Amino acid sequence: MIKATEYIFPRIRILMVTTLISLSCFTSASAETGYEAWLRYKPVDDPVLLEEYRSMAGTIRVFGKSEIINSAVEELISGVTGITGITPFISAKYRSGIIIGKASDIPKSLCRFSSDELRKLDTEGFLIKRKGKRIIITSREDRGLLYGAFHFLRLMQMGESLKGTYILENPVTPLRLLNHWDNPGILPSGIPSIERGYAGESIFRWDELPVLNRRYTDYARMLASVGINGTVINNVNTAKNGLEGWKLLTPEYLPKLKALASEFRKYGIRLYISVNFFSPVMISGISDADPANSRVRLWWSDKVKEIYSEIPDFGGFLVKADSEGEPGPMKYGRTHAEGANLIASALEPFGGLLIWRAFVYGQKDLSPDRASQAYQIFKPLDGKFSANAVVQIKNGPIDFQVREPVSPLFGAMPFTNQIIELQITQEYTGHDKHVCYLVPQWKEILDFETHARGPGSTVANIISGSVFGNKYSGIAGVSNIGADPNWTGHLLAQANFYGFGRLAWNPALETEQITDEWIKLTFGNGEKVYSVVKEILLTSLKTYEDYTSPLGVGLMCNGGNTGHQGHFSPAPSSRVTYHRADRSGVGYDRTMKTGSGFTAQYNEPVRSMYESIETCPDELLLFFHHVPYSHRLRSGRTVIQHIIDTHTGGVEMVRKYYERWKTLDGLIDSERYMHVLERLRDQIGYAEVWRDSVNNYFLKLSR
Ligand code: GCU
C-alpha cells in the first residue's frame, strides 16, 4: 500500500536525470575541467565496495513530495549511477535499499525511530542509518533530506563501507551564507564583473535572466552539498564608481530575482541581495534617505512587500553603509543601529533579515588606528539593533590579511545578532595565482577565545548562538566563484570553497578531516595523489605568509583598485601607515601604554596577552608592537633574520610544491595535472618577486 505521503518519482524525471548523467559522464571522460568539483561521482573500483553499494543503493523508495525532496532524489540517482554504474530503480514497493523521507512519513514497519533520535534532530539535521538491508535517510524537515543525501553520497565517494552506518548531524551554525561581490548591470570601464573575483565573469547572466541555465542548478547543488542555506548574489558596493547593483530593487530586476530564487529554493537556499542605503533617493527620487523621514520608512516597507509578493521566502538585505563611498545614516546624524532598524522593520513582518556590515572606518573623531574604529562605532550600539537585524563582522579588524588578530567586536556585543565574514576569494592571499589553503586560518579564527563569558566563548560558539543566545547568528564567506569552467580559477582554490561550507556547517570539524574529504572527492582515493595534495594544501598558508607579510605586519601589497591586479604584488614602501617600518624598527604599536590603545578592546586575559611584548604571540608581534630589528623572537632569531629566512624559505617551499606535483604525472588526468603544474610554476616567480621586494626593503631600512 502506498501511503498518502509516499512519493512515486515521475518516470520522466528519471529519464531526464539519467540523460544528464550520461551527458556529464561523457564530458568528463573527454576532458576534466574541474566543473564537477567535489560532486564527480566516479565509479568505485574496489569490487567489494562496489558489490556493497550496488546491493544497498540499487533501489530507492521515497516518502514525501516537494521540490527539495526531488532534488535530493535526483542527486541520489545521479550519484549512485555514477559511483556504481547502475541507475537505481525507484518504487513504492521496495522494503530494502535506500529509504528516504521525513521521520514522520516513514512507516514504522520500515523503520522505528527512538524518541531520543527524534529529539536530537534539529530542523535542518539528518539521520542516516543502516537497518538490515535498508539505508534510511531521514530528517524532520525536507532540507535535512537533501543534506542527508549529499552526505550519503560523500560517504560512498570516499569509499566508506556502509556496514553499521549511523550518522546523526545537525548544522551548528544557523545562517550559512555565501556573499557574492558580483556586479549586475552595465559595468563602467575598468571595473570587472566580480569585485575581487579571479575566476572569470559572474555566473549571474542578468541580460538573460529570468531565463535560467544549467549552471545555476549546479551552483545550487554545490552550495547545498556543503550545507550553505543562503546566498547574497551581488556586491556590497552597489553604486560606487558607477556600479549598478542598486538597481536590483527596481521592477526590471524583480522577475530575474524571482527566477533565481525559484531555482535556489529547490536546494534549500534563500536568496538575499545587497542594497544601497540611499535607494529611496536613487530609485524613487525621494528627497532624502533619513530613517526619521516617514516617507522613507513607507518606501522601504512598500519595496519589501513588492519583493515578498513574488518571492515569499526571500532572505533579506545586506548593507554596506557609511563605508568606502557607500552612503549611510551618518549623513543624517543617525547611528548605524537607526539605519539598520529602518530597513529591518520593513522586513520584519515577512521574516526577512537585515544584515548590516561592521566594516566601517575612516570617520572623523575616531582613533587614527583603523583597527580600533569598527569597535568604537559599534560597541556603543550593542543592544540597539532590532531583533531581525544582524551585524556582519569581518574576521579581523583590518581587512582579510594573511595574518591579523580576531576582531575584538565578537567578544564585545552580547546583545547583538552577529555573523562572521570570511573571505574565500583570495584578495590578499594570492588571487587565483597562489595556492593558499585558508581552512587552517579559519580554524584558528573560529577557535579563538574571546573570553566574553569566560572560557569557551570562542568565535565558533558565538556565531553558533550558544554564547550569547542570539536569535540569529552565523557565517558568511565572500565567494571565489566565477564563470571559469572550474568555478574558482585555480583548481586548488575549490578546496577553500568546500572548506568554507564544511566549517559553516560545523566549525568544530578538524582541518585534517575537511582536507581529506576534499582531496578524495576531487582526486579519488589514490594514496600518492592524496599525500602530495595534502602536503601542499596544509603548508600553503604558512608558505604564503612566509614570503609575503611576516609576523602579523599586515598590508605590504600594492594599492586597492578594484581591477584584477589590486592587492596582488608587493609594495612595502607604500604601506608604511600600516607596518610602520622605519630605521629603528618595524610594527604598529597598538598597546595602551605607548601606542594606539587598540589592545584595550579585548577582554582579559587576551588584552594583557597582546599588551605585553613578553606574552604577545610572535606571529602577531608586529601587529601589536613596534620593535627594533634586533628584537629576539622565541625562536632565538632576530626579527630581521626571521624576515630574511622566511622569505627565502617560502620560495623554496613553492619550488618543492612544483617538484612534488610533477611526481603526480600520469596519476591525475592530464588537464587538471597541467593546470595546477602551470600555476605552481608561475607561483615560484611571483614568490620570488615578493621575497626580493620585501627583503630588499628591510635590508635597506635596517642596514
Ligand atoms: C576591501 C576590498 C574591497 C571591498 C571591501 C569591503 O576593502 O578591497 O574591494 O569592497 O573590502 O569589504 O567592503
Side-chain angles (χ1 to χ4, degrees):
M1 254 253 310
I2 302 169
K3 267 185 57 180
T5 48
E6 192 162 353
Y7 181 46
I8 308 181
F9 206 70
R11 244 199 101 59
I12 178 85
R13 288 195 81 125
I14 300 178
L15 284 175
M16 219 181 74
V17 172
T18 37
T19 320
L20 271 173
I21 295 159
S22 30
L23 275 179
S24 73
C25 291
F26 174 74
T27 359
S28 57
S30 53
E32 282 271 9
T33 59
Y35 180 79
E36 292 154 321
W38 50 86
L39 302 174
R40 297 168 72 239
Y41 306 137
K42 292 292 169 213
V44 56
D45 39 22
D46 177 329
V48 179
L49 275 180
L50 180 62
E51 181 50 36
E52 187 190 7
Y53 292 170
R54 282 185 175 173
S55 74
M56 293 308 302
T59 60
I60 305 179
R61 183 165 177 185
V62 187
F63 291 90
K65 184 176 178 176
S66 73
E67 282 187 321
I68 295 188
I69 296 181
N70 279 355
S71 305
V73 177
E74 280 181 9
E75 199 67 34
L76 284 173
I77 297 173
S78 138
V80 171
T81 308
I83 295 167
T84 68
I86 292 180
T87 304
F89 288 101
I90 309 251
S91 162
K93 294 197 188 113
Y94 295 128
R95 300 191 59 80
S96 59
I98 299 174
I99 310 280
I100 181 167
K102 286 191 284 190
S104 53
D105 288 343
I106 296 181
K108 290 201 173 48
S109 59
L110 283 177
C111 186
R112 281 178 189 279
F113 301 103
S114 71
S115 51
D116 188 46
E117 274 173 338
L118 297 177
R119 200 173 30 80
K120 281 190 190 145
L121 272 180
D122 290 344
T123 45
E124 293 183 291
F126 63 81
L127 169 65
I128 306 175
K129 73 170 173 179
R130 169 93 183 246
K131 209 156 183 322
K133 294 195 152 162
R134 292 170 209 140
I135 283 282
I136 319 279
I137 303 177
T138 195
S139 65
R140 266 172 58 187
E141 304 285 344
D142 290 353
R143 240 185 302 165
L145 298 180
L146 186 63
Y147 299 145
F150 275 115
H151 195 84
F152 177 67
L153 291 169
R154 180 157 45 230
L155 295 178
M156 290 210 291
Q157 286 197 89
M158 291 182 65
E160 304 276 331
S161 165
L162 303 177
K163 286 196 191 87
T165 301
Y166 187 96
I167 299 164
L168 191 153
E169 280 200 19
N170 291 307
V172 175
T173 313
L175 294 165
R176 305 179 298 280
L177 309 176
L178 209 57
N179 281 189
H180 285 268
W181 284 358
D182 296 24
N183 296 314
I186 295 166
L187 295 171
S189 81
I191 297 205
S193 82
I194 306 177
E195 181 152 343
R196 313 304 179 187
Y198 313 108
E201 302 284 293
S202 170
I203 59 166
F204 301 111
R205 305 300 316 227
W206 295 101
D207 47 340
E208 291 167 14
L209 281 163
V211 174
L212 295 168
N213 63 50
R214 176 71 206 178
R215 196 142 188 165
Y216 298 124
T217 315
D218 290 332
Y219 162 83
R221 286 174 57 233
M222 281 204 291
L223 266 58
S225 72
V226 286
I228 291 174
N229 61 5
T231 180
V232 187
I233 52 173
N234 64 308
N235 192 356
V236 286
N237 293 319
T238 57
K240 187 166 112 174
N241 302 327
L243 290 176
E244 293 193 340
W246 59 275
K247 287 191 177 170
L248 290 194
L249 281 184
T250 61
E252 179 199 344
Y253 276 91
L254 192 50
K256 300 172 190 277
L257 297 178
K258 183 179 176 179
L260 286 176
S262 69
E263 190 58 24
F264 298 163
R265 184 176 302 122
K266 296 178 192 160
Y267 289 88
I269 299 159
R270 289 177 106 181
L271 179 89
Y272 295 70
I273 58 171
S274 297
V275 299
N276 191 295
F277 190 78
F278 272 21
S279 295
V281 180
M282 298 165 81
I283 295 173
S284 302
I286 293 180
S287 59
D288 61 61
D290 187 349
N293 180 346
S294 56
R295 280 195 68 202
V296 172
R297 287 205 296 273
L298 187 65
W299 188 89
W300 280 108
S301 92
D302 286 346
K303 186 48 78 184
V304 165
K305 253 185 234 151
E306 190 184 320
I307 295 177
Y308 278 88
S309 69
E310 295 293 328
I311 310 173
D313 59 348
F314 181 69
F317 300 138
L318 172 64
V319 185
K320 169 174 178 176
D322 287 314
S323 168
E324 297 186 334
E326 289 289 302
M330 284 168 113
K331 175 167 165 80
Y332 307 106
R334 314 280 170 214
T335 67
H336 281 264
E338 287 166 318
N341 295 348
L342 159 75
I343 309 177
S345 69
L347 289 157
E348 196 273 334
F350 304 93
L353 294 184
L354 187 275
I355 307 175
W356 191 269
R357 294 177 87 227
F359 182 63
V360 183
Y361 64 95
Q363 275 80 18
K364 283 192 249 100
D365 309 331
L366 296 173
S367 157
D369 177 6
R370 173 170 159 183
S372 298
Q373 297 179 0
Y375 179 102
Q376 288 184 309
I377 298 169
F378 282 88
K379 168 73 182 160
L381 301 178
D382 186 30
K384 300 210 162 76
F385 287 90
S386 300
N388 66 324
V390 186
V391 174
Q392 180 163 307
I393 307 166
K394 282 192 184 182
N395 62 266
I398 299 288
D399 195 11
F400 302 133
Q401 298 307 292
V402 65
R403 174 82 64 177
E404 57 178 308
V406 165
S407 166
L409 268 177
F410 292 108
M413 300 185 75
F415 305 108
T416 304
N417 296 317
Q418 297 180 27
I419 290 186
I420 189 172
E421 181 178 316
L422 301 173
Q423 196 179 43
I424 314 170
T425 192
Q426 293 171 233
E427 174 181 354
Y428 291 100
T429 48
H431 296 191
D432 60 326
K433 307 273 188 290
H434 299 235
V435 53
C436 186
Y437 181 50
L438 294 166
V439 169
Q441 185 202 60
W442 297 335
K443 276 298 284 182
E444 266 186 45
I445 293 163
L446 293 164
D447 288 345
F448 179 77
E449 279 280 6
T450 67
H451 288 274
R453 292 269 195 270
S457 311
T458 59
V459 171
N461 290 340
I462 289 172
I463 60 151
S464 76
S466 67
V467 174
F468 302 136
N470 304 126
K471 183 158 183 211
Y472 298 105
S473 54
I475 183 163
V478 180
S479 158
N480 63 347
I481 292 177
D484 274 4
N486 71 8
W487 302 90
T488 53
H490 199 311
L491 179 73
L492 299 184
Q494 278 185 4
N496 286 331
F497 180 19
Y498 181 81
F500 168 78
R502 295 292 283 142
L503 279 180
W505 177 269
N506 181 5
L509 287 180
E510 294 298 336
T511 300
E512 186 93 359
Q513 180 187 334
I514 297 171
T515 316
D516 276 12
E517 286 177 9
W518 183 76
I519 299 172
K520 289 179 181 164
L521 299 173
T522 306
F523 293 110
N525 293 322
E527 264 173 42
K528 171 83 184 166
V529 176
Y530 172 79
S531 73
V532 171
V533 178
K534 183 169 165 183
E535 176 190 327
I536 294 176
L537 287 180
L538 290 183
T539 54
S540 62
L541 174 70
K542 175 162 188 311
T543 296
Y544 184 81
E545 182 177 5
D546 277 354
Y547 63 74
T548 58
S549 305
L551 303 168
V553 77
L555 273 83
M556 298 287 265
C557 59
N558 63 333
N561 66 65
T562 51
H564 285 308
Q565 296 313 316
H567 296 167
F568 182 73
S569 305
S573 59
S574 69
R575 296 296 194 173
V576 182
T577 38
Y578 289 96
H579 58 66
R580 304 270 162 131
D582 54 27
R583 287 180 172 274
S584 69
V586 54
Y588 200 133
D589 184 351
R590 293 190 159 100
T591 63
M592 295 176 281
K593 203 161 166 215
T594 50
S596 74
F598 169 68
T599 53
Q601 296 183 352
Y602 289 92
N603 300 312
E604 285 293 11
V606 185
R607 180 188 304 165
S608 300
M609 174 182 72
Y610 289 148
E611 175 75 13
S612 159
I613 203 164
E614 305 299 324
T615 49
C616 182
D618 278 346
E619 66 267 18
L620 282 170
L621 183 70
L622 304 183
F623 191 91
F624 286 105
H625 298 273
H626 186 85
V627 299
Y629 294 104
S630 56
H631 174 86
R632 270 198 199 280
L633 300 167
R634 291 183 180 86
S635 63
R637 276 185 299 191
T638 59
V639 165
I640 189 69
Q641 193 62 52
H642 173 94
I643 292 175
I644 291 164
D645 290 350
T646 51
H647 281 75
T648 314
V651 174
E652 290 317 309
M653 281 300 279
V654 186
R655 275 193 225 289
K656 190 171 152 204
Y657 296 163
Y658 180 68
E659 293 306 325
R660 297 285 285 142
W661 191 265
K662 279 208 227 152
T663 66
L664 304 185
D665 194 5
L667 300 178
I668 298 179
D669 50 279
S670 59
E671 293 86 1
R672 294 187 304 164
Y673 169 77
M674 284 309 295
H675 163 91
V676 175
L677 186 74
E678 280 160 16
R679 296 217 173 205
L680 289 174
R681 184 199 58 210
D682 294 349
Q683 189 179 340
I684 300 174
Y686 295 124
E688 284 171 349
V689 171
W690 267 97
R691 175 197 63 197
D692 296 344
S693 166
V694 174
N695 279 353
N696 288 335
Y697 176 74
F698 282 113
L699 280 175
K700 254 191 225 145
L701 260 186
S702 68
R703 286 158 297 150

